[in-house]
Amino acid sequence: MTKEIETYCDVLIIGAGPAGLMAARTLSEFVRQDPSLKVRIVDKRSTKIFTGQADGLQPRTLECLKNLGMPQIYEAANDMTTINLYNPDDSGMIRRTDRFPDTVPGVSRYNQCVLHQGLIERHFLDSIHEVSEGRVAVERPLLPESIEVDESKADDPDAYPITVTLRYLAEDEADPVQFGHKVSNGLFRTTLTTAEEDDAEYRLPEGKEAGLREKVHAKYVIGCDGGRSWVRRSLGLNMVGEQTDYIWGVVDIVPETDFPDVRARCAIHSAESGSVMIIPREDKLVRFYIQMQERAEQGGRVDRSQFTPEKIVDSARKIMAPYYLNYSRMDWFTAYHIGQRVADKYSVAERAFIAGDACHTHSPKAGQGMNASMMDTWNLGWKLGMVLTRRAQRSLLKTYESERQPFAQALIDFDHKFSRLFSGKPAKDVLDGSGVSMDAFKEAFMKNALFTSGTAVDYDESAIVAKTGKNGSAVASKPALARNITVGTRLKSEQVCRHSEGLAMHLGDLLYMNGAYRVLLFAGNAAAPAQMDRIERFAAYLDSPESFVSRFTPADCKRDALFEVLTIHSNSRDEIDMQDFPAPALYPPFDYDKIFADCETYHRGHGHAYEAYGIDAERGAVVVVRPDGYVALVCDIEDTADLEAYFSAFMAVPAKPLGAQAEKDWTFTAKAKAERRKRALGHVPVAKVDAKSGFAHVENIAVAAAV
Amino acid sequence: MTKEIETYCDVLIIGAGPAGLMAARTLSEFVRQDPSLKVRIVDKRSTKIFTGQADGLQPRTLECLKNLGMPQIYEAANDMTTINLYNPDDSGMIRRTDRFPDTVPGVSRYNQCVLHQGLIERHFLDSIHEVSEGRVAVERPLLPESIEVDESKADDPDAYPITVTLRYLAEDEADPVQFGHKVSNGLFRTTLTTAEEDDAEYRLPEGKEAGLREKVHAKYVIGCDGGRSWVRRSLGLNMVGEQTDYIWGVVDIVPETDFPDVRARCAIHSAESGSVMIIPREDKLVRFYIQMQERAEQGGRVDRSQFTPEKIVDSARKIMAPYYLNYSRMDWFTAYHIGQRVADKYSVAERAFIAGDACHTHSPKAGQGMNASMMDTWNLGWKLGMVLTRRAQRSLLKTYESERQPFAQALIDFDHKFSRLFSGKPAKDVLDGSGVSMDAFKEAFMKNALFTSGTAVDYDESAIVAKTGKNGSAVASKPALARNITVGTRLKSEQVCRHSEGLAMHLGDLLYMNGAYRVLLFAGNAAAPAQMDRIERFAAYLDSPESFVSRFTPADCKRDALFEVLTIHSNSRDEIDMQDFPAPALYPPFDYDKIFADCETYHRGHGHAYEAYGIDAERGAVVVVRPDGYVALVCDIEDTADLEAYFSAFMAVPAKPLGAQAEKDWTFTAKAKAERRKRALGHVPVAKVDAKSGFAHVENIAVAAAV
């Protein structure tokens, strides 16, 4: 006698790995803003723990985690700074032949790093709980049994076109499965923390019992259920690509060795015994990717039970000879063979989506897996949130596949090339056509360092990426106004100075992911009256009833809820006061956190942000940044019509818009402003710091006469 | 019918404010190492909350918190970067006349900052729990009722010479008292977090009931019970100094104002209405210290109930006119008048100590209070820990008073001068002898910026500070070997590069407070054979039975438990491998974290540590750093006799010493080393990074022939 219940929700996320958690985390921000939204995330495993699984974090991912309020992840992780290449010499002995930076210097303020996936997931769970105020939590163990999409209702915003049946699992059904075996194969539990042991307990959601079936009517479903995705298969989406026959073993150990570079990333090609990649981790652990001599039969599966830890380590010993290799602790091991495949479609009718490993599988050695997965739902989350809250048109959702699928294809192509170079036997000399040229390997490694940083992703032109004004975009950007900013890529963070405090901070830290677009007004030399006139006209537009802010922001929202205007001027803090900027558009009442300077600071130097972005320090520019941090549009301060056109293409007009900004507060009337200027301060020069003594010396400057 | 129980403990800390918590935290490290140690901390209040209390954190304090594993405190705090001076102009209107750095640039990697004391205490409680593995926790509300010290037993290490009677309080006895009133006066509870609300509950320790008396026999007592210290008065120790008659009001508000610098530190002298100091805080709060027109009668107390929040803010409005001042939220207010006093003695027989406000009281405006208090027990904690674990002689404890009392006197002298300059009326012109010269005020402010950073503290010569070899020290340092290091001051942190990983890190981060001395071997140019000979002789000494490591480390400890040797060479990572350094003294088996390089890194530049410390990059030096981070001795690599003499002066010989280091492991035999050298790598140059492309270019270098 199986009970069945029937429920409704806005979004059902299936799978609580990195892709699913990122989806839940980004949507939690919208749940916080609109508690009527119902977002659920379910997982069929009773535990989140997969010790040792994919755990490289790329600079771009770390930037996003910072913008989600999870900087602790970087702090706990192990930075990777260096890559060492070891190749056989003429006598066949491995030697270090090259050493170069792991993360390309200068691409980001973060370095590529490594941390246990379980800890990353723990931070996500905490953050989801906090941001959603307890409304979103992983429910487990729940198994999806059927899914149906009624495509005829796809365009109805009030419809629930998807029906999913979930079954609440009994304890014995819910053990994590790896490689077709229950958890005991390959999973060592010695290093689990207390918090993780709690998570490992079988505990059904309150009031539910094993065997219960739930028929869920959902507006949207996101399948984040891994490489063998049940959602993908049930929706009839296909993976395109191929498998290789190379088999790799993986161990996480605390090594004992006289190999000189065991605490740095290494790629080791032996003459005859295969290759090893070394990835140093947190907590003294080192991961070894070790090529096995066995091959998989084409198309067939591999019996992974033959790959014992000792067998895998023995392979490493052969490859790394004559160095001694042992370990004092092993946390985890596994074996895999490489497949490079990508899904042909990412959704059914932009209602049921797939994301993460469900869309793309590839080898783990480039540290791409978890990153590509999280970045999928980082991309989808805000779009879905905006459509659900009816701030954007449903057409916005088409850009998920159009942005993420080409990226996945490029990733697969890269991985295909790189894996073969890494798995192949080194060429003995230039005449050895069957071997891999070590020069070609090195070139591939270095050329792709930028790719693997995640910072080079450049989304194609679309309704939300204004490049040339063709190809689906309503507007053309003016790249000459910001020569070093590429529309379609993420805005690189540069240091600016908060005017009110003199505090050096990263512009990237202002891009907290709250679903809002940022309109960055690079105000130029605001101390010049002609430039201030331009700024004031821009501000007057923003406050007018015609502006995109007035038209698209709902009446029940704060004025910066959908579009936050941040001003970065190129003056010193002594040339101008923040109260000189037009209020309330640029300087809302008593909000001391909207005006920034690109100037010298006392303790962190000068950010030179204008120079870094290639923006004219006199005339400035406007840079529009999407909620996910990607540059949408670059235009001039006068180009308010372009801003209008850009947002009109995909934003939805609310039932009741916010309308023009009223000048309510006395401090912002023209009279009050004139009064303030009357008592304006004589601007004093920044104190000069004596490099030797460390003391500041301020010249005594007579206070200038009041204006 | 009052019950009474009788107990024993090693240390009883009375008072759980900043001084008491720092004592508990530093001692927790020793408890972790020796769980038989019994450390208790009691407080008479039922709650830790004092919203708004003293909360400036100086750079030196932040360095110590980092070395206690609490970097989160700095991350949550609000950096103070800038000081603005506002003075009356000829017409009597206040104007900004100066702006200069708050923290002297370059003195530390941390800036002075501000954070709610309740949050700081929360981090301490968590850290104490974690480090002591739950063995140390604050017990409350417990009131000390009597204390007796049997000085005749002071020198007996097995004796418990102190008897304290504690009473477990009932709920109504335990409310926090401020200014003679129960908690309702001046304490707003609107911003309390959930964690703090939990703490606010009345909850006696398990199994104890109100009214119970406990007779505690303690080896040591530390009185951290504030300015009106019961411990101090009970021990008959006296405060020396005076009170002023100026009264100050304090408010923590979220301000609404058109005053231009409300989010930066300001010192405002009005012509006739008194002075204001502005301290920007976390969470949009700003603290105002506001001079009141009322004066205290000499020697008498002040009825603080007359100082309502509105009255205090009104005073600020008068001083800051013509600027508008209001607030959207007030978290806290109080009023005080200034006293500058210091205790004549800091202990009875080095058994019962006082620390923090119990020893020194002064005005809060320099942000010194909490810092001076925590630094007292930061100084005492490791000394007491070493004596309790019988690693050091009891004479070590004499240096607590000899180091901290002169500091407190200097602090009081500074505060005395500064407070009067700040409270006085500005001179109208140079002929106005009764007014305060604004130039003199500015000079005092700037000259004392270094003092208030906490980094300039320079302890006098003693058994543990080897300067000239006179004045109680057994050895003379050789300052010429490290020209920019001052023995007696804290070691300033510089960037070094961990050899095994190529990771840029702060030397200061290696000084985790675990009770161990650090012996920093600046190894110089280790690639030069003659220099490597010197290094090898130094290493051979360390491993010999005569070395201080072999003699003073107990047999049941790890070799680096009391003396950790860290090597910093001046070579690049490509000129030498870390395995080239003598093992096991400098490179213990498979420990990849002891060897560092002062070299270029890929992502964080070159630390130039040798240059910063003034150490010769060829010949190096040895710098001995105390467990609290202060430099104890600078000597040459050959000066092993000086190291010997330094430690013999105060360390205790254990019953069973560790003795010489045995060369057990095969990888460290001479034969293994010779073999490793035979297959030594050709050293490759560091990759050059193209500044424009960001890509690394490595020249193809032929691998050098094996040695």
Side-chain angles (χ1 to χ4, degrees), chain B residues 39-95:
Chain B
V39 174
R40 292 179 65 184
I41 172 167
V42 300
D43 199 286
K44 67 181 179 185
R45 297 170 297 176
S46 61
T47 162
K48 74 168 179 59
I49 303 163
F50 272 63
T51 303
Q53 275 209 335
D55 34 20
L57 286 166
Q58 301 169 346
R60 176 57 191 152
T61 310
L62 292 160
E63 294 173 357
C64 297
L65 293 174
K66 183 73 158 74
N67 287 336
L68 290 168
M70 291 186 272
Q72 317 92 316
I73 292 178
Y74 187 60
E75 284 146 25
N78 190 60
D79 252 44
M80 292 202 293
T81 65
T82 311
I83 295 172
N84 300 282
L85 301 189
Y86 279 75
N87 293 322
D89 66 8
D90 292 345
S91 73
M93 188 160 96
I94 56 166
R95 295 189 180 280

Side-chain angles (χ1 to χ4, degrees), chain A residues 452-473:
Chain A
T452 57
S453 75
T455 60
V457 170
D458 183 357
Y459 292 136
D460 287 343
E461 180 150 26
S462 72
I464 54 170
V465 175
K467 293 188 177 185
T468 64
K470 300 163 194 165
N471 310 316
S473 162

Side-chain angles (χ1 to χ4, degrees), chain B residues 147-226:
Chain B
I147 179 167
E148 279 171 47
V149 185
D150 183 349
E151 293 190 47
S152 71
K153 291 184 184 159
D155 291 327
D156 176 359
D158 295 318
Y160 292 80
I162 314 177
T163 310
V164 177
T165 310
L166 299 170
R167 183 160 61 85
Y168 289 78
L169 296 184
E171 186 161 8
D172 61 344
E173 299 175 292
D175 280 339
V177 174
Q178 285 192 302
F179 325 124
H181 301 264
K182 291 278 177 184
V183 82
S184 54
N185 177 18
L187 189 63
F188 287 79
R189 286 177 175 264
T190 47
T191 56
L192 303 184
T193 69
T194 309
E196 288 173 323
E197 281 166 342
D198 286 348
D199 293 333
E201 267 178 47
Y202 170 79
R203 201 188 298 129
L204 278 174
E206 216 181 305
K208 302 294 191 303
E209 59 190 47
L212 175 70
R213 281 201 167 75
E214 178 172 355
K215 186 185 272 191
V216 182
H217 301 278
K219 288 187 175 174
Y220 295 91
V221 165
I222 315 177
C224 304
D225 50 347

Side-chain angles (χ1 to χ4, degrees), chain B residues 466-609:
Chain B
K467 294 189 176 184
T468 63
K470 300 162 194 165
N471 311 317
S473 163
V475 205
S477 280
K478 294 179 175 168
L481 294 177
R483 294 184 312 281
N484 304 329
I485 290 179
T486 305
V487 176
T489 67
R490 68 82 161 96
L491 185 77
K492 193 184 165 203
S493 182
E494 301 292 345
Q495 179 183 297
V496 293
C497 171
R498 188 144 70 194
H499 193 118
S500 60
E501 296 177 311
L503 191 64
M505 53 200 307
H506 259 275
L507 187 49
D509 289 347
L510 306 175
L511 307 182
Y512 179 80
M513 209 305 286
N514 60 2
Y517 262 82
R518 263 70 181 212
V519 178
L520 304 182
L521 170 61
F522 286 88
N525 175 11
Q531 180 70 5
M532 186 53 100
D533 284 348
R534 297 180 71 209
I535 296 166
E536 286 184 340
R537 280 197 300 275
F538 182 77
Y541 159 75
L542 290 174
D543 284 341
S544 75
E546 295 79 33
S547 78
F548 59 90
V549 182
S550 303
R551 284 179 51 222
F552 293 118
T553 309
D556 57 356
C557 286
K558 283 194 172 177
R559 203 162 180 88
D560 61 1
L562 273 62
F563 310 96
E564 187 181 32
V565 182
L566 298 171
T567 300
I568 304 118
H569 62 76
S570 66
N571 303 97
S572 85
R573 290 171 65 240
D574 297 312
E575 289 172 322
I576 194 162
D577 281 322
M578 64 169 276
Q579 291 81 357
D580 291 332
F581 285 87
L586 306 188
Y587 167 41
F590 311 126
D591 185 338
Y592 310 109
D593 298 343
K594 301 285 195 204
I595 311 276
F596 299 83
D598 179 25
C599 68
E600 193 69 33
T601 65
Y602 290 130
H603 303 95
R604 303 283 178 258
H606 192 304
H608 295 298

Side-chain angles (χ1 to χ4, degrees), chain B residues 365-421:
Chain B
K365 283 187 299 296
Q368 282 280 350
M370 186 167 60
N371 297 277
S373 293
M374 289 200 280
M375 297 312 285
D376 279 349
T377 42
W378 170 256
N379 183 291
L380 178 60
W382 68 273
K383 294 173 181 175
L384 197 49
M386 282 179 71
V387 170
L388 281 168
T389 53
R390 309 206 179 175
R391 297 174 183 176
Q393 303 164 29
R394 251 186 51 82
S395 62
L396 178 60
L397 297 175
K398 287 191 189 297
T399 63
Y400 169 58
E401 180 177 303
S402 73
E403 291 188 336
R404 295 305 296 172
Q405 207 220 29
F407 165 77
Q409 193 56 57
L411 166 59
I412 266 45
D413 294 345
F414 158 63
D415 186 52
H416 185 85
K417 182 178 170 189
F418 184 75
S419 296
R420 277 158 182 74
L421 284 171

Side-chain angles (χ1 to χ4, degrees), chain A residues 22 57 61-71 73 124:
Chain A
M22 178 63 92
L57 287 165
T61 310
L62 293 160
E63 293 172 358
C64 298
L65 293 174
K66 183 74 159 72
N67 287 336
L68 291 168
M70 290 187 271
I73 292 178
F124 263 96

